[in-house]
Amino acid sequence: MVNAGANNGGGLPFPEMQSPSIPRVEWDGNFVVSVNTKMNYVTKETVEVNVRRDVSGVDTIYEGATWDAVEVPIHNARLSNPPKTLDEHGYQLVEEPVASCEIDFLNTNDVIDRYYPDCEQLLKNVLGENEIDDVKAFDHNVRINTNGFGPELKGGGGSKAQVPLGIVHGDYTSVSAPTRAKDLAQPPKANDVLKRRLGDSSLLDANTLEDVINGKRRFAIINVWRSIDKEHPVEELPLACMDAGSASEEDFRILKIHYLDRVGQNYFMAHSKTHNWNFFPKMTHNEAILLKTWDSSGEYAMTGKNLGTTMATLAVHSAFLDPSSPSERPARQSIEVRCLAIWKVR
């Protein structure tokens, strides 16, 4: 176990990703069936974790965390039959090329102007144009594997590309998901990527927010995760997703993120033998993972009990060291765009 503040040698505040003592890869001909790796959980004794984040996205140490690197199998979700779906498992692979091949993903303005609409339309197509009232992309992270924080993003107001995050986590909690929806009906905060774009305006109108908070409209926060390397598949530090139904409410631990002008919450996780991990090997730029980070109609959101038995609330996830990847491979480069999906009035 590793105390909070251990880092990977690049000045980062979280523990390094670890390889298993004896790497194992199960093959079926040319296909990877499963691999084993170590995942950075927090210990069961961890109660609450706190971190402070500046406007560039840099974190202090994670106060209150004790890390528990647990060896787990991760299965090839491409072989799942039936396929993984958003509603049942909390994540789904789609083959959907980017509308414009000329997008500069390291340019924040280009991403907002040209890629956000692409993600919004993708989710409308998948969730159903007849069911969805609107989808609004409101934030994104670019991740590039380096020894520390990556290059400063053009037009990003000082924000930088981040490294892939090798901690088992969920992006929103039962408190922070509705709070984030409320925030989007207010002028953007200091860390919001749309602050310079919206000024004193808001992304979400007050009437829609009232319907969301009162339960008249279902809402979900869904990430669109994509490789931005247009030439190579992802072979370094791919994203693993935990089946929503394999997690329990007893596994969650609160992470409080202290921004300049607000406090957000994520979930960290304590390990359980029930957790079922999957990944999509060698993802290309023309594919995307749709990842639920909160769904107001999910079973856990509605009852506070076991996730995903009838409707997935969120999919916990993490980057990991893949023992099936070649020793010589390009650095992972990816983008995740956070979108608020709002259903029509019930």
Side-chain angles (χ1 to χ4, degrees), residues 276-292:
N276 184 29
W277 285 101
N278 291 268
F279 79 119
F280 298 96
K282 297 185 177 181
M283 281 188 62
T284 69
H285 180 61
N286 288 333
E287 298 177 306
I289 296 175
L290 307 183
L291 180 72
K292 266 192 196 179

Side-chain angles (χ1 to χ4, degrees), residues 169-217:
H169 70 285
D171 290 356
Y172 291 94
T173 70
S174 58
V175 171
S176 65
T179 298
R180 195 69 180 108
K182 291 177 184 178
D183 288 344
L184 295 177
Q186 302 293 325
K189 302 290 195 298
N191 280 75
D192 288 341
V193 70
L194 295 176
K195 181 174 179 59
R196 292 190 297 168
R197 188 64 59 90
L198 292 177
D200 292 331
S201 301
S202 63
L203 193 67
L204 191 63
D205 70 80
N207 291 333
T208 301
L209 173 65
E210 184 177 358
D211 287 346
V212 164
I213 298 304
N214 291 335
K216 293 181 180 179
R217 294 175 188 254

Side-chain angles (χ1 to χ4, degrees), residues 152-273:
E152 186 169 321
L153 302 175
K154 290 172 280 187
S159 60
K160 300 177 181 179
Q162 301 179 29
V163 295
L165 184 59
I167 298 175
V168 180
H169 70 285
D171 290 356
Y172 291 94
T173 70
S174 58
V175 171
S176 65
T179 298
R180 195 69 180 108
K182 291 177 184 178
D183 288 344
L184 295 177
Q186 302 293 325
K189 302 290 195 298
N191 280 75
D192 288 341
V193 70
L194 295 176
K195 181 174 179 59
R196 292 190 297 168
R197 188 64 59 90
L198 292 177
D200 292 331
S201 301
S202 63
L203 193 67
L204 191 63
D205 70 80
N207 291 333
T208 301
L209 173 65
E210 184 177 358
D211 287 346
V212 164
I213 298 304
N214 291 335
K216 293 181 180 179
R217 294 175 188 254
R218 174 185 175 188
F219 80 95
I221 303 175
I222 300 172
N223 285 1
V224 180
W225 191 101
R226 186 186 297 271
S227 169
I228 59 175
D229 187 335
K230 301 171 184 176
E231 298 180 0
H232 307 98
V234 176
E235 294 187 294
E236 180 184 67
L237 305 180
L239 185 71
C241 302
M242 183 191 297
D243 281 359
S246 71
S248 171
E249 64 276 7
E250 289 126 2
D251 306 331
F252 288 102
R253 302 295 185 272
I254 297 295
L255 165 66
K256 290 186 177 179
I257 307 171
H258 299 262
Y259 297 94
L260 180 66
D261 49 10
R262 64 184 176 92
V263 179
Q265 288 189 10
N266 285 181
Y267 283 129
F268 281 163
M269 295 286 284
H271 176 254
S272 169
K273 292 181 180 179

